Amino acid sequence: MPRIRDAGAADLVLLPEVEAASDTLLFGRPEIRGDLPLPGPADPQELAAARKVLVAGEPPVAFVRLEEVGGCAHLEQLSVHPAAARAGLGRALVEAAVRWSREAGYPALTLCTFARVPFNAPFYSSCGFAVVQPSGELARVREHEAELGLDRIGERVAMCFDPTPQS
């Protein structure tokens, strides 16, 4: 398994292609309305402005983009290239994101995702996330997603992981 590492400038230019390829995994899913387009991938400048970007592989075949929303760490994007899918990279990146959020002192790690796609909300549930009713800035993220048309593509949920170590 490739090690998880901080993204470098050379990685950032490759990540939009990884995200676009990853999005193809949604095509043809019964939980997704395939006749509606997904928003395009983040560009290298957006990725460079992220709070944190972690990658797997050299060159990268998977990445996680982390932001800050409402005082919490926020998993904005997790993408795994289809050629590298089902190898544990997504789970390894989520675990690295949880570690990073804990080490950075965030009270929680949030995300928004498709509710019924098996490698979306059910996957995150298996990683320790729980569906939450969004409020504050997280609710504004959900509103923005709706404005982008994501809710018309498939049911969306907000989720939260409390990164505080359990005793």
Side-chain angles (χ1 to χ4, degrees):
M1 164 134 11
R3 77 179 172 87
I4 307 302
R5 59 185 175 79
D6 288 349
D11 298 316
L12 297 179
V13 298
L14 302 173
L15 299 184
E17 182 181 320
V18 173
E19 184 175 346
S22 177
D23 286 350
T24 66
L25 294 171
L26 294 170
F27 300 159
R29 299 255 1 136
E31 308 88 357
I32 298 294
R33 286 203 46 210
D35 58 329
L36 296 171
L38 291 168
D43 63 38
Q45 293 78 21
E46 289 175 273
L47 293 163
R51 184 77 177 85
K52 185 75 155 177
V53 178
L54 300 169
V55 297
E58 291 189 40
V61 294
F63 74 96
V64 64
R65 173 182 167 192
L66 296 151
E67 300 290 356
E68 184 174 308
V69 171
C72 295
H74 183 75
L75 195 159
E76 177 63 30
Q77 181 68 38
L78 173 64
S79 292
V80 178
H81 194 285
R86 306 200 57 81
L89 295 177
R91 188 168 303 275
L93 284 163
V94 169
E95 290 169 357
V98 167
R99 273 192 308 279
W100 173 80
S101 67
R102 182 182 294 131
E103 290 166 2
Y106 286 104
L109 175 61
T110 61
L111 61 85
C112 299
T113 193
F114 289 110
R116 307 226 181 275
V117 175
F119 49 87
N120 279 201
F123 164 73
Y124 291 116
S125 290
S126 77
C127 294
F129 285 80
V131 173
V132 295
Q133 183 63 43
S135 61
E137 285 186 44
L138 187 57
R140 285 190 282 287
V141 169
R142 283 290 304 116
E143 291 166 7
H144 180 68
E145 289 184 343
E147 290 168 3
L148 292 174
L150 286 171
D151 290 12
R152 292 188 309 272
I153 295 169
E155 180 187 352
R156 304 278 295 172
V157 293
M159 301 183 83
C160 184
F161 181 92
D162 178 348
T164 308
Q166 303 300 310
S167 47

